[in-house]
Amino acid sequence: MASPFPRLLPSLPFSPSSPPPRIFPGKPLPRLRAAVSAALQWNRKPQLAGETPRVVVVTSGKGGVGKTTTTANVGLSLARFGFSVVAVDADAGLRNLDLLLGLENRVNYTAVEVLNGDCRLDQALIRDRRCPSLELLCISKPRSKLPLGFGAKALTWVVDALRSRPSGAPHFVLIDCPAGIDAGFITAIAPANEALLVTTPDITALRDADRVTGLLECDGIRDIKMVVNRVRTDLIRGEDMMSVIDVQEMLGLALLGVIPEDSEVIKSTNRGYPLVLNKPPTVAGLAFEQAAWRLVEQDTMTAVMVEEEPKKKGFFSFFGG
Amino acid sequence: MMPISGDVSMFFGALPSHPNHRPVMPTFLCSKARLDHFRSGASDLKVAPNLLQMKLPDMNSTNWSHVCFGTGENKLTPTVNQDAEVFLLNVVNMSFFDRLSLTWRMLFPTKVRNNSNAKTAKQRLKMMLFSDRCDISDEAKQKIINNIIEALSEFVEIDSLDKVQLNVSTDTDLGTLYSVTIPVRRVRPEYQDSEEDYIGNISNIEYKDTGERSGNIDVKFDFFLPSDQSKRVKWVSDK
């Protein structure tokens, strides 16, 4: 499935013993250029594993751990790799994914209107201008009455419609799940085959994540991967926060990515410019990109131990203490 | 060298992680050492074995931060004296500066590192996860009890079926524990330990003199003979 090591250098198309082809300054030979780019492996893209479309639900149980941020950034990273992604904000009452992507002004039609027959599906999909492979679908408008009619069947219908649309099925469908484990959660996990569990290393989030894991497995979703968000390595070193190894041990899930705590997340949310598009890339942005890479190749990572801080010795420390 | 007198023995309580050691002495926690009992001029030096647990500059055996010491009665066993001699031999061979730092560390030990927040959180989380995950219904509990009673009735006679209980508890090492308590009246006759198996069994061996020094052996032991009252003989007759 996944190749943890980079591909070995492919053999060059021409043998070294033959005379090197003459390269004109303005027109390099296409064969040589292809060979060089294959040898140097620049602009490498991940290889898609699993059947398309891959329907992934991003859930967590506890609110505020970073589900919507993860959906936005991972979705955008996937789109930048070249895959076609549809991000669905399955929170029917309060929606935030459009804010994070900076597309809140362009939401005219939502899935409720598609179900009612007021518009077509492709009219409800909002394409991002910065990255054309990413499309956003919201469930309902915030000012309308709470759409009590939007249930699991409706969302499954929407995902099937996306799968069988004339412009081709998307490679990825990321569903941003609402917080909690009530009707909204049940709706969001209905069409999904895989789950991405976002959690933070604190005790409340881990307990809720464990409960959600149980519910997901009951529902039939066995492929659950974990993303640990808001990790502060300084606190882990000082033994004030549980390390990622502890988290993995407690929950027993495969680890997809570890995102460090970064103030850039707040800044990028305020601007409506997702984190992964920052140049130069930030720490959290790189982590999101790596997590997206692993999601594509269905790979997992293993956590490493953070080195303990050497105990600072004061002047009188030899007196004991 | 060490300001210890013959009457008072200093012994150290430390975590016995040294492989050759048995935890002979209990661990005592005290904050300050009472050094006012000491007199100079140690004639008969008795040092507890756990001193070997201290991290000597050339030995890297134990975690230094867990060592603390206290004063007490002189109740040393022969093995302790042997270990003390070994320790003293090591100490005598160390350089002056090493002995000085050793003394310093004995007198001013580093305090035990308190429980970190991460470890506390991990413990609490473990407890909660186990109790959350093991939510068994009453019906299932009753069924488990019935099955176990049925299985066990083949071997023992159960005292009263009402007193059988199933308890779910958590343990830090093992995790979730299901314990079924069953009061048993007696074992069924066909499964009881036959005394014939024990005929000729020798137990409770006590050596008063092993004969290494004097050449004589003085041993006391028990030899099993079945009593007449509880004799069970199986008659197998050919017909």
Side-chain angles (χ1 to χ4, degrees):
Chain A
M1 246 190 327
S3 55
F5 304 108
R7 294 189 292 272
L8 294 174
L9 289 182
S11 58
L12 297 174
F14 54 92
S15 58
S17 61
S18 66
R22 285 187 296 165
I23 301 173
F24 296 102
K27 300 183 261 185
L29 275 177
R31 246 177 33 161
L32 178 63
R33 191 179 177 192
V36 165
S37 76
L40 291 177
Q41 293 192 359
W42 68 286
N43 218 13
R44 199 160 77 99
K45 299 269 190 266
Q47 295 169 306
L48 186 60
E51 50 171 44
T52 54
R54 287 183 52 185
V55 186
V56 184
V57 62
V58 181
T59 180
S60 80
K62 182 167 188 286
V65 300
K67 285 184 296 296
T68 312
T69 314
T70 308
T71 315
N73 287 303
V74 167
L76 210 53
S77 306
L78 291 172
R80 286 213 305 179
F81 290 147
F83 301 106
S84 57
V85 182
V86 173
V88 181
D89 190 352
D91 196 343
L94 313 164
R95 59 165 206 224
N96 291 314
L97 191 55
D98 51 347
L99 275 178
L100 262 149
L101 290 171
L103 305 171
E104 71 272 11
N105 296 324
R106 296 175 45 202
V107 178
N108 294 320
Y109 292 114
T110 62
V112 164
E113 276 117 28
V114 175
L115 282 175
N116 287 339
D118 297 335
C119 70
R120 299 186 308 270
L121 183 61
D122 53 296
Q123 281 177 314
L125 288 170
I126 304 154
R127 197 174 287 268
D128 192 357
R129 291 206 185 94
R130 292 171 298 227
C131 198
S133 344
L134 176 65
E135 287 163 308
L136 172 66
L137 177 67
C138 298
I139 296 287
S140 73
K141 284 222 169 107
R143 298 233 190 87
S144 67
K145 288 191 296 246
L146 286 177
L148 299 167
F150 206 91
K153 281 197 191 136
L155 193 60
T156 322
W157 181 88
V158 168
V159 172
D160 285 335
L162 279 173
R163 196 177 287 162
S164 53
R165 65 176 179 176
S167 45
H171 291 121
F172 282 92
V173 178
L174 289 180
I175 304 177
D176 184 21
C177 184
I181 47 173
D182 54 351
F185 170 78
I186 298 172
T187 307
I189 63 174
N193 306 324
E194 306 170 34
L196 197 64
L197 192 68
V198 182
T199 179
T200 55
D202 65 299
I203 191 171
T204 51
L206 287 173
R207 185 189 196 175
D208 296 344
D210 190 60
R211 185 100 173 88
V212 164
T213 310
L215 289 173
L216 284 171
E217 282 177 354
C218 267
D219 200 58
I221 300 177
R222 304 248 172 248
D223 191 357
I224 307 174
K225 295 207 181 71
M226 186 167 63
V227 169
V228 185
N229 202 2
R230 305 185 73 169
V231 167
R232 291 197 50 182
T233 42
D234 52 341
L235 288 183
I236 292 178
R237 239 185 244 127
E239 292 237 344
D240 281 323
M241 185 189 254
M242 278 193 271
S243 69
V244 184
I245 298 180
D246 295 336
V247 169
Q248 220 179 351
E249 193 187 310
M250 289 285 124
L251 293 183
L253 296 171
L255 190 61
L256 193 77
V258 175
I259 321 287
E261 169 96 56
D262 200 348
S263 51
E264 280 297 320
V265 170
I266 304 172
K267 295 181 198 167
S268 64
T269 312
N270 289 336
R271 278 184 309 180
Y273 192 73
L275 189 59
V276 292
L277 295 177
N278 276 358
K279 276 192 196 331
T282 55
V283 190
L286 279 174
F288 275 123
E289 239 185 73
Q290 284 177 7
W293 194 286
R294 287 187 201 107
L295 180 65
V296 172
E297 298 198 334
Q298 283 188 336
D299 196 4
T300 56
M301 69 176 269
T302 50
V304 291
M305 191 146 67
V306 173
E307 282 170 13
E308 214 181 271
E309 210 173 62
K311 217 176 66 154
K312 280 201 188 121
K313 298 194 142 199
F315 182 63
F316 290 107
S317 70
F318 48 85
F319 278 117
Chain B
M1 228 182 57
M2 280 181 251
I4 307 172
S5 74
D7 296 333
V8 181
S9 71
M10 278 174 62
F11 55 92
F12 285 57
L15 292 181
S17 56
H18 200 275
N20 300 335
H21 257 349
R22 296 181 311 268
V24 177
M25 293 293 194
T27 54
F28 286 90
L29 275 172
C30 78
S31 52
K32 297 259 185 271
R34 286 192 302 201
L35 297 172
D36 42 341
H37 297 298
F38 292 161
R39 297 189 295 263
S40 63
S43 56
D44 192 9
L45 201 56
K46 289 193 179 71
V47 179
N50 292 336
L51 266 182
L52 276 177
Q53 303 281 0
M54 281 173 21
K55 191 172 177 182
L56 302 173
D58 51 354
M59 295 193 327
N60 50 350
S61 50
T62 325
N63 194 353
W64 196 200
S65 62
H66 291 283
V67 171
C68 56
F69 59 93
T71 56
E73 292 296 308
N74 198 358
K75 31 185 194 255
L76 299 171
T77 64
T79 53
V80 167
N81 272 338
Q82 288 168 7
D83 293 335
E85 284 169 17
V86 169
F87 173 71
L88 282 177
L89 279 174
N90 281 334
V91 166
V92 159
N93 291 333
M94 290 195 296
S95 68
F96 167 70
F97 181 69
D98 292 336
R99 290 201 300 260
L100 188 64
S101 64
L102 186 63
T103 320
W104 194 265
R105 270 180 279 169
M106 267 203 293
L107 298 177
F108 303 105
T110 55
K111 74 174 178 217
V112 183
R113 208 180 57 180
N114 49 356
N115 265 336
S116 53
N117 289 335
K119 290 203 178 92
T120 322
K122 203 173 162 186
Q123 275 307 108
R124 288 174 67 203
L125 187 64
K126 240 189 213 176
M127 283 293 147
M128 274 196 315
L129 287 185
F130 289 141
S131 64
D132 281 348
R133 279 176 189 163
C134 300
D135 227 358
I136 194 167
S137 64
D138 278 336
E139 191 189 307
K141 273 187 187 169
Q142 199 53 45
K143 275 192 183 169
I144 289 176
I145 290 174
N146 290 340
N147 283 357
I148 290 182
I149 287 176
E150 206 181 298
L152 209 53
S153 302
E154 196 191 318
F155 299 95
V156 301
E157 278 183 20
I158 296 176
D159 199 3
S160 63
L161 291 172
D162 304 327
K163 289 195 188 154
V164 178
Q165 281 183 2
L166 170 72
N167 289 323
V168 181
S169 62
T170 54
D171 179 57
T172 43
D173 292 327
L174 299 171
T176 314
L177 290 177
Y178 276 31
S179 49
V180 182
T181 49
I182 303 170
V184 167
R185 195 182 296 140
R186 65 184 181 116
V187 184
R188 286 198 193 276
E190 55 264 20
Y191 289 107
Q192 275 184 7
D193 249 345
S194 161
E195 285 189 344
E196 286 171 1
D197 297 336
Y198 279 109
I199 287 179
N201 197 25
I202 294 179
S203 60
N204 263 350
I205 300 176
E206 284 174 26
Y207 277 99
K208 284 211 182 117
D209 192 351
T210 51
E212 280 168 26
R213 280 205 205 147
S214 60
N216 300 324
I217 299 181
D218 186 358
V219 184
K220 188 170 94 174
F221 56 88
D222 291 344
F223 186 82
F224 183 84
L225 279 176
S227 62
D228 283 331
Q229 287 123 4
S230 56
K231 196 165 80 164
R232 264 170 221 278
V233 180
K234 276 197 177 164
W235 284 104
V236 179
S237 60
D238 298 325
K239 285 205 180 144

